Amino acid sequence: MKTYNTHQRKALLDFLQSNSEKAFTIEEIVCSMSEDDISQSTAYRLMTKLVEEGLVHRTVKGNSRSFVYQFINNEKCEGHLHIKCTDCGKVYHLDHDVSALIQNDIKKNTAFEIDSHTVLLGKCGDCK
Ligand SMILES: [Zn+2]
Ligand SMILES: [Zn+2]
């Protein structure tokens, strides 16, 4: 049972990791995964764990009550800001240069040091 879960967890993580520029609902993930042996309830359970561990970012999708999930590499994400689409929940990683520019500008004008985990909100190109 344990190895079975580990296998599914890895498959789930692999899927999110190779599609890390997008955010998915559980339904979409279960449908898109070639491993058709993962059930929706298993996916939910594993995903909750991945969110707790900080490997996956969870957002509410627009005004709906469903969640979307996206893989986040915390090590790689150190030192840059993110923009989150308030409609589809997709998280976009800003370049280090752009992040530094924004942070420096704000610091210059307000003396505030923006926390690098700050997430800016907006609408992505697909949702405009
Ligand atoms: Zn990032
Ligand atoms: Zn969007």
Side-chain angles (χ1 to χ4, degrees):
M1 190 61 192
K2 192 151 191 270
T3 46
Y4 186 58
N5 269 338
T6 309
H7 171 74
Q8 290 188 321
R9 180 194 147 98
K10 193 181 175 305
L12 195 63
L13 207 53
D14 280 351
F15 174 81
L16 287 169
Q17 205 160 358
S18 48
N19 294 283
S20 63
E21 76 289 355
K22 291 194 214 117
F24 300 93
T25 62
I26 291 282
E27 289 79 2
E28 284 166 347
I29 293 165
V30 172
C31 289
S32 322
M33 274 172 64
S34 50
E35 316 252 339
D36 50 359
D37 58 351
I38 191 161
S39 69
Q40 206 148 304
S41 58
T42 306
Y44 264 114
R45 199 156 36 81
L46 290 173
M47 201 62 103
T48 307
K49 204 86 178 79
L50 293 174
V51 171
E52 277 169 15
E53 289 167 24
L55 294 166
V56 173
H57 186 88
R58 180 175 67 186
T59 343
V60 180
K61 186 178 183 180
N63 297 321
S64 74
R65 297 177 72 183
S66 54
F67 289 114
V68 287
Y69 300 87
Q70 185 172 357
F71 179 80
I72 295 291
N73 186 334
N74 276 323
E75 274 166 44
K76 268 212 209 139
C77 284
E78 216 37 73
H80 66 240
L81 301 172
H82 297 88
I83 309 178
K84 187 164 83 185
C85 176
T86 50
D87 265 14
C88 67
K90 171 176 149 174
V91 177
Y92 180 86
H93 307 259
L94 281 173
D95 288 348
H96 274 75
D97 293 354
V98 177
S99 302
L101 213 71
I102 294 171
Q103 283 170 294
N104 289 340
D105 226 36
I106 291 173
K107 195 175 169 186
K108 216 164 63 193
N109 286 298
T110 65
F112 269 90
E113 275 193 40
I114 297 292
D115 188 293
S116 65
H117 298 104
T118 301
V119 178
L120 306 169
L121 300 177
K123 259 187 189 133
C124 77
D126 297 335
C127 293
K128 263 198 299 204

